[in-house]
Amino acid sequence: VEIPDQIGLLDQMRSLHLDNNHLRSIPSCISNMTILSRLTLHRNFLEDLPISLCGMSTVENFNCLENPFTRIPPEVYAARFKDVDCLTMNQLEEEMKKAKMTSATQMRAKDDALEASRASVWGYLGRLRTAHRTCSLDLSGLRLRRVPAVATEMTFLTSLSLANNKLASVPPTIRRLGGALVTLDLSYNRLSSLPMDLRFLTNVEDCRLAGMAMEFLPKEIRAAGVKNLLRFINRMHEAVTTGCLKLDNMDLTELPK
C-alpha cells in the first residue's frame, strides 16, 4: 500500500491518522502539510522515514511505534520510560503499570514518552539532512548499539562521529567511506578491538579512540598517529592470511595482547 504524492496538496490538514495499515513508505511531500499537528504512523510496515519530516515544526503529536524499521535505529524512535526503550504501545503501557501510576498520571507519562520519541526522530533526521549539506555526520550521544546502515551509505562523508554510544563493533561496510572520509570519531564506545576493515580508510587523518579498553592495541600505536594505526591494522590482517606477524620498526615496549 502506498500513499499518493497528492497528499502533499492537503496543506490545510491538521491531523493525519495512518496507523494500522500496510504502508511501506511515507512520501517526502508530506512536509508540504505545513500546519499539521498530529501524525500517527504506528503499526505499519515502514522501514524508513523521509528526512523532510524534521522540517515539520508544527507536529506536536507523533507515533511511529510498531514498525519494522531497518534504517531508523530503535534507540532513536523508541518511547523511553524510566530507562526502558519501548518499541510497542503494549510494552509502554506495561512499564507504566509496573510503576503503579494513576490513569491520569499514566496518560501524561505516555504523552511525554511519545513526545520524546518525536523529538528524537526529528533530531536524528535533522542530523542526516545536515550531513547532506556539510559532508559531516554527527551520530554521537544517541545510545546506538549498531552503526546505522545509512551512515556507511553516505560515501561523500569527510567526517563521521559515532562517539559516546554503546557500539561493540563496527560493520565491514565502513570500508565504503574510504574514498572521502578524513575524520572518524569512535571515542567512548564499547569496542574491545578494531575492525580490520578500517585499513580501507586510507584518507583518514584523524581517528579518535579515547575512552575504550582495547587491550590488543599497544599504547605506542595509539600515540603514534593514524597512519601508524592503519599500518598496524594492515599487518594484523596480513598475519591472519599469511600466518606471519610483522611488528618491526613500531617502537613497541611490549607485545600486543
Side-chain angles (χ1 to χ4, degrees):
V1 179
E2 294 185 357
I3 300 174
D5 288 341
Q6 287 82 355
I7 196 170
L9 300 175
L10 304 176
D11 55 4
Q12 296 302 304
M13 185 172 290
R14 295 181 180 274
S15 183
L16 180 59
H17 299 262
L18 295 169
D19 22 270
N20 294 298
N21 282 297
H22 295 81
L23 300 175
R24 297 186 180 277
S25 64
I26 300 297
S28 59
C29 64
I30 197 172
S31 61
N32 294 336
M33 305 169 77
T34 54
I35 63 172
L36 194 71
S37 63
R38 180 183 292 272
L39 175 60
T40 57
L41 303 171
H42 70 286
R43 296 198 184 111
N44 276 285
F45 292 91
L46 300 174
E47 295 185 0
D48 198 6
L49 292 171
I51 290 178
S52 61
L53 276 186
C54 69
M56 300 180 70
S57 58
T58 58
V59 174
E60 298 176 350
N61 301 104
F62 177 75
N63 186 347
C64 68
L65 299 181
E66 299 177 59
N67 278 285
F69 288 117
T70 59
R71 301 177 65 79
I72 306 290
E75 298 87 355
V76 168
Y77 72 84
R80 192 167 175 79
F81 179 73
K82 291 187 179 295
D83 296 326
V84 176
D85 287 337
C86 301
L87 302 181
T88 70
M89 291 300 294
N90 285 341
Q91 183 184 6
L92 179 58
E93 290 167 0
E94 285 299 318
E95 291 298 324
M96 290 179 176
K97 287 179 182 178
K98 292 178 185 178
K100 298 181 179 179
M101 306 167 70
T102 65
S103 297
T105 304
Q106 182 173 324
M107 186 173 294
R108 287 194 299 270
K110 184 187 296 185
D111 288 343
D112 290 344
L114 291 175
E115 166 53 22
S117 169
R118 184 209 62 77
S120 179
V121 170
W122 261 236
Y124 177 76
L125 295 176
R127 295 188 192 204
L128 299 184
R129 182 174 64 176
T130 297
H132 282 280
R133 186 179 70 252
T134 65
C135 297
S136 177
L137 178 58
D138 180 5
L139 296 180
S140 62
L142 296 178
R143 302 178 291 109
L144 299 176
R145 291 178 174 82
R146 294 183 180 180
V147 177
V150 65
T152 58
E153 292 171 1
M154 292 183 170
T155 55
F156 55 85
L157 290 178
T158 58
S159 177
L160 173 61
S161 176
L162 294 164
N164 294 291
N165 282 298
K166 299 180 179 181
L167 302 175
S169 63
V170 175
T173 50
I174 193 75
R175 66 173 66 185
R176 296 173 181 167
L177 305 182
L181 199 67
V182 175
T183 300
L184 175 62
D185 192 349
L186 296 170
S187 301
Y188 299 99
N189 275 287
R190 298 178 178 178
L191 300 176
S192 58
S193 62
L194 284 175
M196 294 296 103
D197 292 281
L198 287 187
R199 71 187 189 278
F200 293 104
L201 305 182
T202 54
N203 292 317
V204 168
E205 299 176 359
D206 184 7
C207 185
R208 303 169 193 172
L209 304 169
M212 293 179 288
M214 291 184 287
E215 295 182 353
F216 99 104
L217 188 62
K219 59 181 180 297
E220 293 86 357
I221 299 299
R222 290 199 196 194
V226 68
K227 297 303 179 185
N228 218 32
L229 171 65
L230 295 178
R231 187 158 63 101
F232 177 78
I233 294 175
N234 266 315
R235 292 195 180 184
M236 294 293 288
H237 175 72
E238 290 170 1
V240 173
T241 56
T242 66
C244 178
L245 178 58
K246 297 180 180 180
L247 295 178
D248 51 300
N249 300 314
M250 287 198 169
D251 299 321
L252 299 178
T253 59
E254 58 183 21
L255 289 177
K257 298 180 180 181

